[in-house]
Amino acid sequence: MGKTLQKIKVSTVNEMPKNLGKTVTIGYYEIALFHLANGEFRAIENRCPHKGGVLVEGIVSGDHVFCPMHDWKISVKNGEVQKPDNGCVKTFNVEIEDGNVYIVL
Amino acid sequence: MAKQKLALIGNGMAGVRCIEEILKIQPERFEVTVFGSESHPNYDRIQLSNVLQGATTIDDITINDWNWYKENNITLFSGETVTNIDTTKQIIYSDANREVQYDQLILATGSIPFILPIKGADKKGVTAFRNIEDCEKMIEYSKNNKKAAVIGGGLLGLEAARGLLNLGMQVDVIHLSEYLMDRQLDPTAGKMLQRELESQGMNFHLGKQTQEVLGEIGVKGLRFSDGEEISADLVVMAVGIKPNVQMAQNCGIPVNRGIIVDDYMETRIPNIYAVGECAEHREMVYGLVAPLYEQGKVLAKRICELDGKAYEGSVLSTKLKVSGVDVFSAGEIFEDEKAKSIKEFNEWNGTYKKVMIRNGKISGAVLFGDTKESNNLLSMINKNADVSEYLKVGTSGEPSVSLVASMSHEEIVCGCNGVTKGDIVTAIESNGLTSIEEVKGCTNASRSCGGCKPLVADILELTLGAEFSELNQKESICACTTLSRDEVVAEIREKNLTHTREVMNVLGWNTSDGCSKCKPALNYYLGMIHPVEYEDEKESRYVNERLHANIQKDGTFSVVPRMYGGVTNPDQLRKIANVADKYNVKLLKVTGGQRIDLFGVDKEDLPKVWADLDMPSGYAYGKTLRTVKTCVGENFCRFGTQDSIGLGIALEKKFERVGTPHKVKMAVSACPRNCAESGIKDLGVVGVDGAWEIYIGGNGGTHLRAAELLCKVKTSDEVIEITGAYIQHYRETANYLERTSVWVERVGFDTIKTIIGDKQKRIELNQRLDEALSVLQEPWKEIIESNAIQTGLFQKVKIPAISNK
């Protein structure tokens, strides 16, 4: 039957500068992993629904990232594109354990 | 209750627009099925000429992508053509043997290009200009062929011709009439247009009728009825369109030129409607976008069974989409005994205006060269305004407010996105909007071409009254604050603020972390105010500046090493060639600023590429001095009076890397022939015998502006001193992202001239600039030497496919 969830170690908390993203590819998934100003980690699909812009390179403000291509504003918490644009980006769960960062797939 | 079945034949702008309107009104009422012969989702056909001209891509002109259909539960059969409709049983049949039942049916089959019935019209290399395939065909042809002939000097033909020029072809335009765009322009404007396009490189054959396409299998040329022949490898026919009504006619739906509809877009068959180019309303067939929107709105209400206004026809208006040419035409354009005109013709500036008056009412207009008035005029024509109103507007100085006031709520303000005045007023009132930016964010008005911005501003002013003019006095740096640039800078200085987060906290930002506009701006202001102490925040930089390379649409980067003054040598060229080979660089391109751009480098490879190049960063991505373009100058050129290369290199070495509000470009020419194009640079220097002229505030970008002569000096040291003062004054007083051309106009050229002319001020400005320059380091080198930066910013994490347990 279906697959079980896996926790995959992708980085350490120390290696991730705040308010910046890191590109993580796991198999065919390309994920943008963000270390937010408040210390949280968030992971979303690295592809803006507009024209496929690489979100990992966007400017991060609070819970949002601004696509570097055409400035779409996207929530890194739920993947939702903010008005007036529409769309949604896939999100992934992130877990932190002993200073390691895991993405759950 | 089962949903009603709504079918649409024709997946183009008109039909889909109407579906959008219906979804807005009653999203749950219908089960929608769409048939489209083309295998693309719905795209903006008007923009095809921009695709051909290279201004945009096919992806960019998609209006509704595949997802949109999915999200709205619309069944789309693309690449499928409807062959028959049983109007009694209400069933549609397609060429894929599909049968679809409908309760309501919209025909939006558009139109088909008219192909001249001449000998040879079926030869290989003859194309229309109507859809994406035509566009792709022309692009393909341009790769291996030189000569194109466009038959038709109307709107579409000229746009196609401009595109073919951009693709590097020689273009002949053949037109039946004695002047261009004779349906929309009068002879005066038509001739002005011809001169302008000739200067762009088009070649015209006017008053010529094409008789035959020459060639064996492929096109070789054209023969005209007077016997003259020209050679051509590609022939584009842009002589007009005709409504696509064959299928409707075969099914017994009454057709004249187009499918006959009443004021509610109903055909004469029950439950069947038609919109767009295939429809004929009051004996008019429209081939433009604004009428489709109006028709779509009326029909949407009809289908949803709401009472709505009848469609009473549209005023035709036209704008030519050819870069460098502003042409507008609307309503009637020819004088007769009853219709008089007001004309203004300025041959020197190349502008022409004609306003038509019939029975004392504004009935049409032609504008050439300056089309600022087009929105106002169109609105007056639409509401049949009195000539006295036009004349009043012309002299009162503040015309537009009254104009906006008299617009009805249904009138479209933003033609690109179909936003009405009513939409904007409602958005302003219900969401408390106070700025154009907010209106843009909320309604999409003025988001595309921006042409309606002045109207949006007027609607804001009208809706908010006195409140607006107060708010409008100052422009805040972004939506996170109400403070202006000057206030923020003053507060940073006064309170000695040192971090972006601190500025946001202390100055009461309404977001905790700012946005993509204020973060880079604050980072710049802090760095400008505290050049030595401030630690640049990488996370507040746009990606290009953070990674010191230019991001491209596919997520790879391009790299430009510095070549001072545009001078290089065999060693550098060899190094660049080797790097290009080693890292599989996809494109090597000489930039407009005389340097070499290496495209398609992966983010992770950037530090290695820089290390191998072993050259300084050319800052092709930076808000800083980009390049100093130079001509050959006195050592080689017959005319050069000065050492332009030497001065260019000196300027570039002195001022490289320092942060500025926006990019800064310079040029040095050694004689008034100005081969380095100093007249359109932020700072341009022109050498004349025994002196240097310094020009400022020029721009060759979207808003072309000629630089103004600031002063004339004797020595290159003086040039450097003046330049330093100028750059620093710009650094200290411009808004972030304000080019010098805009800054010079806002602050005033004379004010700047006075400050730079003051010896004492000049010294102080240079001292502050030197302080800022003293701490800068070569960024590529810094990154190559720092493992921490490489890990944090450039390294990716790669994990092979996970196993499925």
Side-chain angles (χ1 to χ4, degrees), chain B residues 107 109 243-261 267-269 274 278-280 285:
Chain B
L107 302 176
T109 47
N244 182 13
V245 297
Q246 197 60 52
M247 190 267 303
Q249 199 166 20
N250 295 346
C251 305
I253 300 168
V255 166
N256 189 19
R257 259 205 310 149
I259 301 166
I260 301 169
V261 294
T267 69
R268 303 209 170 142
I269 305 290
C278 66
E280 178 178 322
V285 175

Side-chain angles (χ1 to χ4, degrees), chain B residues 608-662:
Chain B
K608 286 180 267 173
V609 166
W610 298 330
D612 287 357
L613 282 171
D614 191 26
M615 288 166 76
S617 163
Y619 276 92
Y621 43 80
K623 310 272 179 272
T624 175
L625 174 61
R626 290 280 172 98
T627 163
V628 183
K629 188 170 184 174
T630 62
C631 72
V632 170
E634 65 179 3
N635 289 337
F636 286 92
C637 175
R638 283 182 295 149
F639 305 109
T641 61
Q642 301 268 17
D643 178 13
S644 53
I645 295 179
L647 178 56
I649 292 174
L651 283 167
E652 195 163 338
K653 289 207 157 149
K654 164 92 192 187
F655 299 115
E656 66 175 325
R657 301 189 194 120
V658 72
T660 39
H662 210 309

Side-chain angles (χ1 to χ4, degrees), chain B residues 124-136:
Chain B
K124 196 165 166 283
V126 179
T127 179
F129 180 33
R130 178 66 191 162
N131 56 30
I132 289 181
E133 281 72 30
D134 296 336
C135 207
E136 283 169 343

Side-chain angles (χ1 to χ4, degrees), chain B residues 26-47:
Chain B
Q26 292 178 346
E28 298 301 326
R29 177 164 174 176
F30 297 101
E31 184 189 317
V32 183
T33 305
V34 179
F35 286 91
S37 297
E38 286 190 62
S39 54
H40 302 273
N42 171 23
Y43 62 91
D44 187 347
R45 199 180 296 280
I46 303 165
Q47 300 281 344

Side-chain angles (χ1 to χ4, degrees), chain B residues 417-694:
Chain B
N417 298 299
V419 187
T420 64
K421 179 188 167 190
D423 295 337
I424 297 173
V425 171
T426 315
I428 293 170
E429 285 172 346
S430 51
N431 301 314
L433 310 183
T434 55
S435 69
I436 298 177
E437 279 304 310
E438 286 171 355
V439 173
K440 199 201 278 185
C442 205
T443 65
N444 270 335
S446 86
R447 197 172 174 194
S448 302
C449 81
C452 62
K453 248 186 203 157
L455 281 180
V456 174
D458 291 342
I459 296 174
L460 268 165
E461 186 167 359
L462 183 78
T463 316
L464 299 174
E467 204 186 328
F468 176 71
S469 31
E470 238 170 67
L471 288 163
N472 206 25
Q473 295 291 315
K474 67 175 201 201
E475 209 177 313
S476 73
I477 63 175
C478 71
C480 302
T481 176
T482 56
L483 298 174
S484 70
R485 179 260 178 217
D486 287 349
E487 288 170 329
V488 170
V489 169
E491 294 275 2
I492 292 174
R493 288 186 194 278
E494 196 177 305
K495 301 199 162 81
N496 197 22
L497 306 175
T498 52
H499 288 96
T500 55
R501 285 288 287 266
E502 189 185 7
V503 176
M504 293 175 194
N505 288 338
V506 174
L507 303 185
W509 246 237
N510 58 37
T511 53
S512 56
D513 298 274
C515 70
S516 60
K517 290 193 181 63
C518 60
K519 282 178 79 163
L522 292 181
N523 187 51
Y524 169 76
Y525 295 136
L526 286 162
M528 180 267 291
I529 294 167
H530 311 294
V532 179
E533 304 82 10
Y534 182 66
E535 193 181 333
D536 192 69
E537 288 178 8
K538 291 194 165 49
E539 66 273 22
S540 297
R541 290 271 186 187
Y542 179 66
V543 51
N544 287 354
E545 292 190 285
R546 181 168 64 243
L547 300 185
H548 296 278
N550 271 335
I551 196 165
Q552 305 299 334
K553 61 188 284 189
D554 63 353
T556 64
F557 289 81
S558 83
V559 165
V560 179
R562 201 172 271 289
M563 281 180 185
Y564 295 97
V567 176
T568 184
N569 59 40
D571 271 348
Q572 283 186 345
L573 290 175
R574 263 189 290 270
K575 263 194 282 194
I576 291 172
N578 289 339
V579 167
D581 277 341
K582 184 169 168 188
Y583 295 95
N584 281 323
V585 163
K586 289 179 194 152
L587 172 75
L588 274 174
K589 161 104 180 58
V590 178
T591 69
Q594 301 179 328
R595 293 172 303 176
I596 295 177
D597 205 345
L598 297 84
F599 283 83
V601 180
D602 189 75
K603 176 167 77 167
E604 273 191 306
D605 285 338
L606 286 171
K608 286 180 267 173
V609 166
W610 298 330
D612 287 357
L613 282 171
D614 191 26
M615 288 166 76
S617 163
Y619 276 92
Y621 43 80
K623 310 272 179 272
T624 175
L625 174 61
R626 290 280 172 98
T627 163
V628 183
K629 188 170 184 174
T630 62
C631 72
V632 170
E634 65 179 3
N635 289 337
F636 286 92
C637 175
R638 283 182 295 149
F639 305 109
T641 61
Q642 301 268 17
D643 178 13
S644 53
I645 295 179
L647 178 56
I649 292 174
L651 283 167
E652 195 163 338
K653 289 207 157 149
K654 164 92 192 187
F655 299 115
E656 66 175 325
R657 301 189 194 120
V658 72
T660 39
H662 210 309
K663 61 184 169 190
V664 171
K665 298 183 177 183
M666 295 190 195
V668 186
S669 292
C671 82
R673 284 171 193 76
N674 212 341
C675 294
E677 296 159 339
S678 305
I680 49 162
K681 295 288 185 275
D682 296 279
L683 183 127
V685 184
V686 178
V688 292
D689 214 355
W692 295 106
E693 293 173 344
I694 302 178

